[in-house]
Amino acid sequence: MKMVRIKLHEVIPGTTTLSSRELGAVIRSKIENALQFVDTVVLDFEGIELITQSFGDEILGVLVRRLGFPVIKEKVKVANANPLIKQVLKFGI
């Protein structure tokens, strides 16, 4: 099984808060591109303390609407997310 890990603090350096649809679109694009070549994408939230609802919706909510919940549940995993980030992501889905 092929996997890629997207470390958000490396893609968007210098912040512990991810807060816009524009930043979310950057990450979503990386997820969509990776899903063409690998079985699993891991979103690594190490070093990130907070995300907004708009960011969460853009990275996962949009993908769920495009590809369906079962596909996202199977192929996109979350690592190193604090409880608040997990809650925002669940709301976005």
Side-chain angles (χ1 to χ4, degrees):
M1 174 172 39
K2 292 184 179 180
M3 179 199 73
V4 68
R5 180 175 293 264
I6 299 173
K7 295 183 177 187
L8 299 177
H9 74 277
E10 291 178 1
V11 177
I12 305 169
T15 186
T16 59
T17 301
L18 302 175
S19 63
S20 72
R21 285 201 176 271
E22 291 78 17
L23 289 177
V26 169
I27 300 301
R28 182 177 37 75
S29 176
K30 289 189 174 295
I31 297 167
E32 289 173 318
N33 290 336
L35 286 174
Q36 295 177 32
F37 304 103
V38 300
D39 302 309
T40 304
V41 174
V42 177
L43 297 176
D44 191 337
F45 285 87
E46 181 180 4
I48 303 299
E49 297 173 6
L50 179 68
I51 65 170
T52 62
Q53 285 182 298
S54 60
F55 180 87
D57 179 62
E58 192 66 34
I59 64 170
L60 289 183
V62 170
L63 285 178
V64 167
R65 290 189 292 279
R66 286 184 184 171
L67 303 175
F69 179 73
V71 171
I72 299 308
K73 183 177 180 181
E74 179 184 331
K75 296 185 174 227
V76 179
K77 306 299 179 193
V78 173
N80 299 314
N82 66 38
L84 181 58
I85 290 173
K86 288 178 184 176
Q87 183 178 7
V88 172
L89 291 173
K90 285 180 184 178
F91 184 79
I93 291 172

